[in-house]
Amino acid sequence: MEAPRNLLNVVDVEATCWQGPPPPGAVNEIIEIGLTVVDLDARVRLAKHRILVRPERSQVSAFCTELTGLTQAEVDTGVAFAEACRLLVDEHRADSRSWASWGDYDRKQFERQCQATGARYPFGARHVNAKLRFTEARGLRRRPGMAQALQIAGLPLEGRHHSGADDAWNIAAVVLDLAGKGEWPQA
């Protein structure tokens, strides 16, 4: 029998956004969930996933499309937020597998949106703030953005910045760099 693997879900979300305050009645809603599965023992990124989420209380602005590349028509083909949370649990073991994100925004956005919609929170309690780990490991005074962290680590930015799937893939590269130096917490 094969030994269990030390897998980590690296998650990055994109949400509706505006240049300035949201329109009346609109709120930030997750429109894309990027997820990269990392095997921490083998030090490899195993798979890159993308879940498009249909917003219910806001629309994708021109600013949001420019930033993320996502259009309203594209996210209209996505699943409801509660279904996206179910997919995270059923297909990616999000409720039992450790997970990481760049900063706390993604974790807090899931918490807010689950509370607002009544959807079941898909993640377990083991979350690692990769931005904080990177900052501490490098002895930096300021917490860098993901693109700047890649530069500091000497890693390439792959794909489109502010694409949830591509950003999760890139954050996973930083996680593996930290793990390779013994600077990532053991599961």
Side-chain angles (χ1 to χ4, degrees):
M1 187 165 156
E2 191 176 324
R5 298 193 304 186
N6 187 9
L7 301 181
L8 172 76
N9 286 339
V10 178
V11 176
D12 185 78
V13 301
E14 301 302 325
T16 52
C17 56
W18 304 269
Q19 191 169 15
V27 296
N28 294 102
E29 291 180 273
I30 294 170
I31 53 176
E32 181 190 10
I33 303 166
L35 186 144
T36 295
V37 181
V38 173
D39 184 327
L40 289 168
D41 294 333
R43 304 273 196 270
V44 294
R45 296 176 284 189
L46 298 174
K48 179 179 182 180
H49 303 278
R50 177 185 198 214
I51 302 171
L52 288 179
V53 183
R54 189 174 52 252
E56 296 176 7
R57 299 175 296 155
S58 62
Q59 297 286 310
V60 175
S61 68
F63 173 79
C64 188
T65 296
E66 186 177 320
L67 182 68
T68 66
L70 295 167
T71 65
Q72 185 65 47
E74 189 174 10
V75 299
D76 282 345
T77 68
V79 298
F81 177 69
E83 174 66 7
C85 291
R86 188 193 65 72
L87 289 170
L88 287 169
V89 172
D90 291 352
E91 295 182 9
H92 305 289
R93 297 185 45 212
D95 57 344
S96 60
R97 190 178 286 166
S98 294
W99 70 292
S101 61
W102 197 257
D104 277 331
Y105 171 81
D106 304 81
R107 181 182 57 79
K108 289 179 180 178
Q109 181 62 33
F110 267 102
E111 289 172 353
R112 280 190 298 270
Q113 199 161 334
C114 285
Q115 185 175 25
T117 64
R120 178 177 167 234
Y121 184 72
F123 299 104
R126 294 175 300 168
H127 174 260
V128 180
N129 178 334
K131 180 191 278 191
L132 181 59
R133 287 295 318 128
F134 182 82
T135 302
E136 290 173 349
R138 295 290 177 135
L140 303 174
R141 288 185 184 190
R142 292 186 183 186
R143 294 181 186 174
M146 186 264 311
Q148 187 181 7
L150 288 167
Q151 287 180 331
I152 292 167
L155 299 168
L157 174 67
E158 297 180 55
R160 179 191 175 109
H161 191 21
H162 297 298
S163 154
D166 290 342
D167 284 355
W169 185 257
N170 286 305
I171 295 163
V174 175
V175 167
L176 288 173
D177 184 64
L178 289 167
K181 294 176 169 95
E183 297 169 337
W184 189 259
Q186 296 298 313

